[in-house]
Amino acid sequence: MDRKRNCTLCGGAVMMLLLGHMTTALEVPLDPKVLEGLPQPPTITHQSPKDYIIDPRENIIIHCEAKGKPHPSFSWTRNSTHFDVEKDSKVIMKPNSGTLVIDISDEKAEAYEGIYQCIARNEHGSAVSNNIVIRQSRSPLWSKEKNEPITVQRGMSLVLQCRPPAGLPPPIIFWMDNNFQRLPQSSRVSQALNGDLYFSNVLMDDTRNDYICYARFPHTQTIQQKQPITVNVLDNSPSGERAPSFMHPPGTHSTATVLKGDTLELECIADGLPTPDISWSKVNGELPSGRFLFHSFQKTLKITEVTDTDGGDYRCLANNLLGSNHHIITVVVKAAPFWISAPQNLILAPKETGMLTCRVDGNPRPKVTWSVNGVAIENSPKDPSRKIEDDVIILSDVQTGSSAVYQCNASNEYGYLLANAFVSVLAEPPRVLTPPNHVYSVITNSRALLDCASFGSPLPKITWFKDSQSILDGGSYIIHQNGTLEINVAQPLNSGKYTCMASNNLGNKENHVYLEVKEPTRILKQPEYKVVQRNGVAVFECKVKHDPTLLPTMIWLKDNGELPDDVRFELGSDSLTIHDVREDDKGTYTCIRNTTLDHDSASATLTVVEATPTPPIGLEQPDPPTDLELTDQREHSVQLTWTPGDEHNSPIKSFLIQYEDSLHERGIWANMTEVSGTSTTARLELSPYVYYSFRVLALNEVGLSEPSVPSRQYRTNPAQPDMNPSNVKAVGTSPDSMTITWKELTGLESNGPGLQYKVSWRQKDVDQDWNSLTLANVSQYVVTGTDTFVPYEVTVQAINDYGLGPRPEVVLGYSGEDSPTVAPENVQVSVQNGTVAEVHWDTVPLSTVRGRLKGYKVSYWKLRSLHKQDSEPEKPRVLIFSGNETEGHLSGLHPYSQYSLNIRAFNGKGDGPSSSDQHFLTPEGVPGPPAEFKVRNMDLDSLIVEWAPPLEDNGHLTGYLLKYQPINTTDELGPLKELFLLANETSITLDNLKYSTRYKFYLNAMTVKGSGPTVTEEAVTVMDEAMTSKQVDIATQGWFIGLMCAIALLILVLLIVCFIKRNKGGKYPVKEKEDAHQDPEIQPMKEDDGTFGEYSDTEDHKPLKSSRTPSNGTAKKDDSDDSLVDYGEGGDGQFNEDGSFIGQYSGKKEKDTAEGNESSEAPSPVNAMNSFV
């Protein structure tokens, strides 16, 4: 490829920001929903390579794809002139694309060689492709030549030249013999980079007539062969040993040029006898680490990804026993143009200012030129808003409709760069691209990132809110430039709803997301070190605590790999059990508890010991550590060292360090820290003003050791407090006071003598100074003279003789409450039905609550029934409605009654005054069930039904509905009859009933609102004794029993006769027919139905079994004429294995006119098969 070629048009603008007065370059989002409505100048998305070598056997495809809104149209230039695609029938442009397909099946590919360039344009601008150089691949034949034999003396050097034909791309060279075997190469014989074969010295074995150079052309996959070369090595005047000299490159100095980023290959080939060794070095430097390789027996130095630092002098040294020689190669590094800043498209709002930069570098320095919409910028219309400064274009006060595509071209003698960058002037209101209501989940103390991707022109400003409170950049919140909100250390209190607002001068857009801060996964009980005998059981426990909303998984590893696939390994929910332990089970076992957000792990070691009949090794608690020593003593820390005691056959797992504070809590030892069983030292962090003594306990599988002898006492200096009292609260206890409480500091937390507490308070939102006093040895203080239920700010700060503690946290509290002073007004009752009413009221003014309004109490009670006199008044019922509710439902009311109610507000102190009583009436309802319902017998066909009125009338009774129906002996219900009875009736007599019949009765009381609940009862009519005496049980009569016995005896006799007849072979009609016609082959068929004589298939006679007579016309019979054969039940003895017969008579057979005179023999399966032939 010609690297000196410059592209006519420019390309590649890199959009940047101008600081201060210049705006941010907008990036067009990839969201198709956003892109759908946005105008966009063209952008080249795909194009063929700059140097495009084509295969002449295939069609030429030159790619050019672009996007834009509206979709761009395409045109081409060829050799800098317009290429009319439509006029060439061999060229097709793909639909909605600029890609060209050139059919060269009937043309020579050379006809379409040239420099092509694609232009994509729409109403907003034009983008151009690179210059695409189309060249045909070539694999020319070797020129005909006659190679004379080469004669050389043994020990001399030799070069066999290949000189392959110039191909496109260049061929790959290799040497082979007549058998297509590669010629062996070594430090003595090797192929140079140009393909020639070099001999540092020749041997007699080098004599041969088949040195053949091959050239493989990779693009066309063809191989060309040079004529074989013959080499004859003579030994009549051999060359003697000599020092090295360079065959290639010649002389002592040469120069090589390489492009930055390419691969550098330096070559040195020397002759000499013995064969020289080649070594490389860089003069005044080192070979680049990790980027250099040696090839061809160190005759070639290869350096990849060349940089400027690779320039300089390289020395190749040839050395043998007779001396050495060197050659210097000076490497010059040049560079084709390369980007310093990547190009970007620029989107500006009207009146905004932006900048395009085309920043490149190269060696020599590239020349930068600009174009707009494919036209050199000096030839384009003047634009007062555009200013060009070398590799920068500044656009000021842009206007709607000034969108365009700019091209930047950067070129030097080694190549060029071309890039397009559009400037699109848009006015778009903000859009938030982050999905709405997205839930982010993080683990406590980890980083949380809440996205707020947005788009708009001008660039939207992002503002964040949490629970409607604005979030400022700083502290625990960081708002990134792209709108993302970062919470560096997320805590549970950070959970909640977050709102991001994108705003510009065209509007605002909100989006809500949610943050859930989860509890971390922690292993509470780690697996412990185990020593298990062979064939024993090992159990590792791994109990974990995790956030309940996350689904955990447990993984066990052995020596950081998967567990063996063995049934002996049993996995529990929080344990691993290994049964029948073997020697190869020893190792480190790790439990890993994973959730979707985090994980925790812990490990333990399993040691397997032999199970021997000898007494087991005695395992005991370890001996206590000894020789405690305090070193490296500092103001707030000290180094503790010790010597471990005897382990007693069980390795020490950990050491527990305890301390005693003899100043504040003498005689009490507290746990301080725990270290691993392999440690013998620990750095201990100390508190001020403590008299420390330390002791150490060792822990093994058996348990804890006895404590060590305490260390010497170590006293820390006093200091001011570093913490304040916790759990500070301010609670009102009476209307004019407030009690402030706190949790006192311990002596260890005091940090010095003279511990006191500075208690401060002031009324919130009132411009007044703090009230303060200092107290000691107390944990509360009562502030008197306060107003009723007003907010106060309260602090409690620790003080000692050495100063104040840290600035205390302000706690909000309230003074005491008093009962509300007014009753709710505008109380209204709306009766819904006989049992439910709805009540409404107005809220009481907050100023009259004098505390926290907890709600309202509605008291209601029944005054009287509107139908009858109540025995005693009803106690009031109270419903509580919390908060600011102003309505409620009263349920469980009695219909047709008078009620009264009142309402009062209440707070933490008590109830306020009640409202005036409101009276209301409930309407009638359905009545209760009738009382004392019963049915009694009176006569054979009548019953008396009696009842009492309902206990709860719930209105005026209009009557009763009585239903009844008979029940038969199978508990089936008969027809239902209904009677409507007057309200004053309490009994009725039902006549004309069936005697000795059970009846079911249903009774309902009724008001104008309908029927009340149903009561049921059952009763039976009395049986007629006279009728009963006339009824005779027929089963007990003598004549009936005798008749039944006679019938049974007759049936038994008939069965015996039939059985005897059968055994004696009684002849049936079929037997008689057989006697009359001895040959069944000639039995005529009845013409009407095709049956054999009288063997008709009727309801009384099923077809009888049949058999065929043997072919010899004889039948084997036994002594009895009543054989089965006579009855057609066993001819030829054709039985199945189970004794059943094969042949049988056909009940019917269709007449066949073609065979009417043939035998009536039943068809056999073989004959049936033959009929199909």
Side-chain angles (χ1 to χ4, degrees), residues 11 19 130 142 184 227 353 461 618 856 1027 1095:
L19 300 177
N130 291 322
W142 233 296
Q227 290 297 320
T353 298
K461 177 184 178 183
Y856 295 89
M1027 180 70 69
Y1095 309 125

Side-chain angles (χ1 to χ4, degrees), residues 427-618:
E428 287 289 324
R431 308 183 193 186
V432 178
L433 308 181
T434 301
N437 300 317
H438 184 72
V439 178
Y440 295 88
S441 298
V442 298
I443 294 296
T444 301
N445 296 324
S446 64
R447 185 175 67 162
L449 295 174
L450 310 184
D451 294 329
C452 186
S454 64
F455 175 75
S457 183
L459 186 69
K461 177 184 178 183
I462 302 299
T463 307
W464 280 93
F465 301 87
K466 181 180 187 296
D467 300 331
S468 302
Q469 297 295 320
S470 177
I471 296 175
L472 300 178
D473 191 1
S476 60
Y477 294 103
I478 300 174
I479 301 178
H480 292 271
Q481 188 174 0
N482 65 354
T484 297
L485 175 65
E486 176 181 345
I487 305 173
N488 193 32
V489 183
Q491 299 296 324
L493 57 87
N494 296 128
S495 298
K497 176 182 177 182
Y498 289 80
T499 302
C500 79
M501 177 183 290
S503 57
N504 64 14
N505 57 3
L506 299 178
N508 302 318
K509 187 65 176 179
E510 287 187 352
N511 190 50
H512 305 294
V513 297
Y514 298 86
L515 175 63
E516 295 179 352
V517 181
K518 309 288 189 178
E519 295 180 16
T521 302
R522 292 292 178 264
I523 294 180
L524 301 180
K525 185 174 182 179
Q526 300 183 359
E528 299 177 347
Y529 172 83
K530 298 288 184 182
V531 178
V532 179
Q533 291 185 349
R534 185 194 300 272
N535 301 325
V537 177
V539 179
F540 293 103
E541 289 188 296
C542 185
K543 295 187 177 179
V544 181
K545 178 183 179 183
H546 62 86
D547 192 283
T549 62
L550 299 178
L551 296 177
T553 58
M554 178 74 80
I555 300 175
W556 284 90
L557 303 177
K558 179 181 184 293
D559 296 330
N560 294 324
E562 293 184 357
L563 289 178
D565 186 10
D566 194 327
V567 295
R568 297 181 301 106
F569 289 79
E570 178 184 345
L571 295 177
S573 60
D574 53 8
S575 65
L576 168 64
T577 303
I578 307 174
H579 300 277
D580 192 19
V581 172
R582 301 191 306 228
E583 178 67 26
D584 57 356
D585 293 333
K586 66 182 180 181
T588 300
Y589 290 83
T590 303
C591 72
I592 303 175
R593 193 70 157 184
N594 291 315
T595 67
T596 54
L597 296 179
D598 69 338
H599 73 278
D600 197 10
S601 63
S603 300
T605 302
L606 172 63
T607 300
V608 180
V609 297
E610 287 291 339
T612 62
T614 58
I617 298 175

